[in-house]
Amino acid sequence: MRFLLDDEQREFARSLDALLTAADTPAVVRGWAAGDHAPGLTLWRRLADAGVFALAVPEAYGGVGPLPVETAVAFVELGRHGVPGPLVESVAAGVLLGGVGGPAAKEWLPRIASGTAVVSLALEGYGPYALDADVADAVLTVTGDELRLTRGAGGATGPGAPTGPEAPTGPEAPTGPGAATGPGAATGPGGSTGRPAPTGPGAPTVSVDPARRLFRPEPGGEVVAAGPGVRAAARAAGTWATFATAAQAFGCGEALLRATVAYVKQRTQFGVPVGSFQAVKHRLADTLLGLEFARPLLYGAAVELADGAPGAGAAVAAAKVAAGEAGYAAARTALQLHGAVGYTEELDLAWWLRRARPLRDAWGTPSACRARVLAG
């Protein structure tokens, strides 16, 4: 059995890396966090042209999927470059609509695959919030056996606007590095950025990661599917969302480790690079081991998904725990070894530091995923 990516998959990763490097994604992330979505949506369409959103859409609707291994390859790169937006949610929405079929699938799946529609998603069991619903062309929600769709940007507005799991009371609340004194700390009325918090209906929450805005979808919406098939499709979509988030978390961890290695090579103390100190080497080695142990779990879960194995859900949950914890450990290492400079918004590293914790907890907290592994 072959356990390595083939030449075509490696070339896909290289092409995405080149595309995202040329796009100056740190500037895109800064703009997205500030409310300027135009550069991010332009990048979204370029990613669609590269085939990213077609990976989970069935061929009958203009996609090329489902292709879990290629999805992992893509989302590792997206996580490594910190691309903002409801990327995971759009891919999971493709799985959901592909599972239920019908007029909604015919209308939205070709648009998802081509990148002409941005879709966000909220599922029972994963929290009541939809990421970047103010930018989405549609927000899908599943409650029981009903799939509802709210059209147009601003799918989450009104008094129920977001206090999401990235706020201080949720499962993505900042602790450890990024809490109180770290890059996710709230230092003023605008949270970690010190800017005034947005107000008014549908205003996004200022969270640990300012480029992740969570909204509570409004009640109602058009019922586009109902019945037992919706529940089964939602389970599959949730598994794919967990899987893609694991890949993002892994890529984020890789980016943090690479940036930290480069930094300790150039920062000197007592006349020598701090990277030559044994304690620093050990910390970096532990971080690398965590990522390298997560890598085979991630791609193993991709193989399970591709084969439709009964244990695919448990394999995905195991990959999410390993990748999420490894990415968060990489953030802790990066913060410690960069010192105070890691806190500054002027350094692009701060955006990756802020993202590691939310990715660890989004679409399946470590405790929930461990429970799923045990149950599986």
Side-chain angles (χ1 to χ4, degrees):
M1 181 177 290
R2 181 179 179 84
F3 290 99
L4 298 175
L5 298 176
D6 60 29
D7 292 340
E8 186 175 349
Q9 290 161 343
R10 287 195 291 270
E11 181 56 35
F12 182 43
R14 285 192 291 267
S15 67
L16 287 177
D17 180 41
L19 184 159
L20 294 171
T21 300
D24 188 15
T25 49
V28 173
V29 175
R30 290 174 185 273
W32 194 274
D36 180 9
H37 302 126
L41 294 176
T42 298
L43 180 57
W44 186 284
R45 289 186 286 272
R46 294 184 65 189
L47 289 169
D49 290 341
V52 170
F53 300 113
L55 294 172
V57 174
E59 292 184 19
Y61 297 98
V64 296
L67 296 175
V69 176
E70 286 75 10
T71 299
V73 170
F75 274 82
V76 167
E77 292 301 321
L78 296 175
R80 195 159 66 82
H81 286 272
V83 180
L87 303 157
V88 166
E89 290 70 17
S90 284
V91 167
V95 174
L96 175 62
L97 291 171
V100 299
K106 292 179 181 178
E107 177 184 357
W108 288 97
L109 284 177
R111 296 180 62 188
I112 291 173
S114 65
T116 56
V118 177
V119 178
S120 194
L121 176 67
L123 297 177
E124 283 185 315
Y126 295 96
Y129 304 100
L131 180 67
D132 292 316
D134 59 331
V135 185
D137 297 288
V139 177
L140 299 175
T141 57
V142 175
T143 304
D145 290 341
E146 284 190 342
L147 169 60
R148 293 179 178 269
L149 184 148
T150 303
R151 298 173 182 268
T157 58
T163 56
E166 292 167 25
T169 58
E172 296 181 16
T175 59
T181 59
T187 57
S192 59
T193 62
R195 295 188 295 270
T199 58
T205 292
V206 178
S207 67
V208 174
D209 179 0
R212 288 176 59 87
R213 289 91 46 79
L214 301 180
F215 296 81
R216 187 188 295 272
E218 285 189 329
E222 175 188 359
V223 177
V224 296
V230 170
R231 198 179 289 270
R235 283 196 298 268
T239 297
W240 271 75
T242 302
F243 172 66
T245 305
Q248 269 192 316
F250 180 82
C252 179
E254 278 198 326
L256 286 162
L257 179 59
R258 293 181 186 185
T260 306
V261 170
Y263 181 73
V264 299
K265 286 181 178 179
Q266 67 181 19
R267 179 187 171 192
T268 59
Q269 198 170 41
F270 308 116
V272 297
V274 297
S276 64
F277 300 159
Q278 189 176 43
V280 172
K281 290 180 180 180
H282 286 177
R283 187 67 186 263
L284 292 170
D286 288 342
T287 303
L288 177 62
L289 282 174
L291 289 167
E292 289 304 317
F293 274 106
R295 188 192 305 274
L297 288 174
L298 177 64
Y299 286 105
V303 172
E304 296 266 356
L305 279 176
D307 292 342
V316 167
K320 178 61 164 55
V321 171
E325 296 285 17
Y328 185 50
R332 295 171 65 92
T333 296
L335 187 59
Q336 180 179 8
L337 298 186
H338 275 80
V341 72
Y343 289 66
T344 63
E345 285 203 357
E346 289 74 16
L347 191 69
D348 291 338
L349 179 81
W351 296 95
W352 278 256
L353 287 171
R354 287 171 168 145
R355 184 155 299 182
R357 175 64 186 270
L359 287 178
R360 188 192 75 164
D361 292 347
W363 290 106
T365 62
S367 60
C369 287
R370 288 188 176 99
R372 189 171 185 182
V373 171
L374 292 174

